[in-house]
Amino acid sequence: MSSLFPGLDSLVGLARHGVDPKPTLLRVLTDLYVQKPIHSDDEERQFVELSLRLIDAVDPTTRELVARKLAAYPGVPELVMARLQGKRVGELPPAPPPQNGRRRADARATTAAFFAGSDSERREMLRALDSDEPLAPTGWPVPAEAVSRRLEESVLAGRPGDFIRELERALQVSRSLAECVVNDRGGEAMVVAARALALPVDVLQRILLFVNPAIGHSVRRVYALTDLYHEISLAAALRLTACWREAEPMAGSRKAAPAPGSAPRPDS
């Protein structure tokens, strides 16, 4: 574009819990990469690092699809193409990034993949993020009735700036990412945020009707997103919003223990 839960370093790490999001993640990362004609050194390194971690773990069909797409892209990194062809010509420079840097890179990749993904790819990622692995007792916003009330009041009063600021504080993400959630073309991001914050479904529906004209003008779309709210698990929503906070934390935020009287950990 707060660290991920302990034992869940990235979307890739969910494979050990019986799900396999890696083919989808590799395809979406590749799509994002080829959309830009020029990349900074940091973007190039991040793409190479993440791709090499995924290529060996995906099926041959996925590797073939990715190889064909990259073959038409000028200046594709040699290491990536060689690995897609089953070769190992050298490796990345030594001194891998610190663990927290790797978590941040993984979270940014997951966040970018979600916002760039199609409806079906987003649902696939949310299913992959669902698991029986216990959630850590910290690292997500504490749902509060006051949050729900302030969000609804600001959107019904036609104060989009207040709504975005309240969402930024509630999710503990950057202003730019809160704006991405509000302006998300499909509305799935808002549904994920509502699920993580335990907003009542009727409040979510009123928000969807007013916050984004592209969604609010389609009653059918609002009902489809209502169905998605009931379909996705709380665990998946909390894990994805944790990725958002790791990728783009709220300005001045820092890790802290829950305040006294915080709500108990929700079940996954």
Side-chain angles (χ1 to χ4, degrees):
M1 269 219 347
S2 63
S3 63
L4 298 179
F5 301 105
L8 191 68
D9 289 338
S10 67
L11 181 60
V12 177
L14 283 172
R16 60 178 175 273
H17 299 304
V19 294
D20 189 12
K22 294 186 290 297
T24 297
L25 185 53
L26 180 59
R27 291 196 302 269
V28 175
L29 283 174
T30 302
D31 288 340
L32 290 173
Y33 181 78
V34 300
Q35 285 173 12
K36 293 181 62 175
I38 300 175
H39 296 274
S40 67
D41 291 342
D42 185 62
E43 289 172 338
E44 190 87 353
R45 180 181 178 86
Q46 183 178 348
F47 175 72
V48 173
E49 287 178 344
L50 292 171
S51 297
L52 294 184
R53 292 171 58 191
L54 291 166
I55 288 171
D56 291 342
V58 301
D59 57 279
T61 300
T62 298
R63 289 197 295 271
E64 182 179 349
L65 289 171
V66 170
R68 285 206 301 266
K69 182 162 293 187
L70 289 177
Y73 185 84
V76 64
E78 178 185 353
L79 283 174
V80 174
M81 287 304 296
R83 186 68 61 84
L84 285 167
Q85 296 165 2
K87 304 174 184 176
R88 291 180 178 269
V89 290
E91 289 294 345
L92 291 174
Q99 188 62 29
N100 61 343
R102 177 168 296 174
R103 285 199 305 269
R104 175 65 56 84
D106 287 343
R108 285 176 173 170
T110 300
T111 298
F114 179 82
F115 280 98
S118 64
D119 289 357
S120 59
E121 288 171 336
R122 291 178 173 194
R123 281 170 166 77
E124 185 175 341
M125 290 180 70
L126 287 166
R127 284 193 295 270
L129 283 164
D130 188 14
S131 80
D132 294 330
E133 184 75 8
L135 294 174
T138 61
W140 65 80
V142 177
E145 184 179 345
V147 171
S148 174
R149 184 182 67 254
R150 288 194 297 267
L151 285 169
E152 183 176 13
E153 287 176 351
S154 60
V155 75
L156 294 181
R159 302 194 304 268
D162 289 348
F163 182 87
I164 290 172
R165 281 190 291 273
E166 185 61 40
L167 191 65
E168 175 188 352
R169 288 192 294 265
L171 293 175
Q172 301 166 20
V173 298
S174 70
R175 177 65 178 267
S176 63
L177 200 145
E179 291 174 343
C180 286
V181 172
V182 170
N183 297 320
D184 178 46
R185 57 175 174 43
E188 291 92 351
M190 183 61 68
V191 174
V192 170
R195 191 76 172 91
L197 294 171
L199 300 187
V201 68
D202 59 321
V203 172
L204 169 63
Q205 289 174 330
R206 288 190 286 273
I207 288 174
L208 291 172
L209 285 169
F210 290 96
V211 76
N212 188 334
I215 299 169
H217 289 167
S218 173
V219 175
R220 178 178 298 179
R221 184 60 183 165
V222 171
Y223 280 119
L225 292 170
T226 300
D227 291 340
L228 177 64
Y229 178 90
H230 293 297
E231 175 186 330
I232 64 176
S233 70
L234 176 59
L238 291 174
R239 286 176 175 129
L240 183 55
T241 52
C243 280
W244 295 351
R245 288 197 300 282
E246 173 70 22
E248 291 196 21
M250 182 174 64
S253 66
R254 60 180 182 180
K255 299 178 180 65
S262 297
R265 176 176 65 83
D267 295 330
S268 59

